[in-house]
Amino acid sequence: MSKSLTKKLEKELLLKHILYEKEAVAVARRKNNDDDVIFWIKKLNKYDVVHLIYSKETSSDFTITLLFTLSKLEEYCKTVSKFY
């Protein structure tokens, strides 16, 4: 599943995106929504929460990237889990 989600991310990124050609590994996804995925970005030493759209993006404003350290990711997940 990780490889499949990583390939989907790669297809969405534009040349100018911060994650373009950076190695990303899908490490988790929301159970009730497979569009929201957490990726480990080794080169940046950060996690990224991505909402996949399953198409090539046309705006450099997307794919929206939220980069986190592990501790900040844990805080973020606890906060958003209250809404789902």
Side-chain angles (χ1 to χ4, degrees):
M1 179 63 72
S2 177
K3 286 184 182 181
S4 173
L5 291 169
T6 300
K7 286 185 185 249
K8 289 176 184 176
L9 174 67
E10 290 169 357
K11 288 180 182 178
E12 292 186 17
L13 300 176
L14 292 174
L15 182 65
K16 294 181 181 180
H17 195 278
I18 189 171
L19 299 180
Y20 187 78
E21 291 192 339
K22 298 222 177 28
E23 183 181 351
V25 177
V27 295
R29 69 172 194 183
R30 270 193 28 212
K31 275 187 172 181
N32 63 344
N33 179 345
D34 68 351
D35 296 344
D36 293 332
V37 181
I38 297 173
F39 291 92
W40 168 245
I41 313 301
K42 184 177 181 178
K43 188 171 185 174
L44 300 175
N45 196 30
K46 302 266 182 172
Y47 292 88
D48 183 22
V49 178
V50 174
H51 180 83
L52 296 173
I53 58 170
Y54 299 99
S55 64
K56 187 72 171 179
E57 190 49 67
T58 57
S59 168
S60 60
D61 294 334
F62 297 97
T63 296
I64 295 173
T65 300
L66 303 171
L67 295 173
F68 298 95
T69 62
L70 181 56
S71 62
K72 292 296 183 185
L73 177 63
E74 289 171 347
E75 287 177 33
Y76 172 80
C77 290
K78 285 177 186 175
T79 301
V80 297
S81 68
K82 295 174 187 174
F83 301 106
Y84 297 103

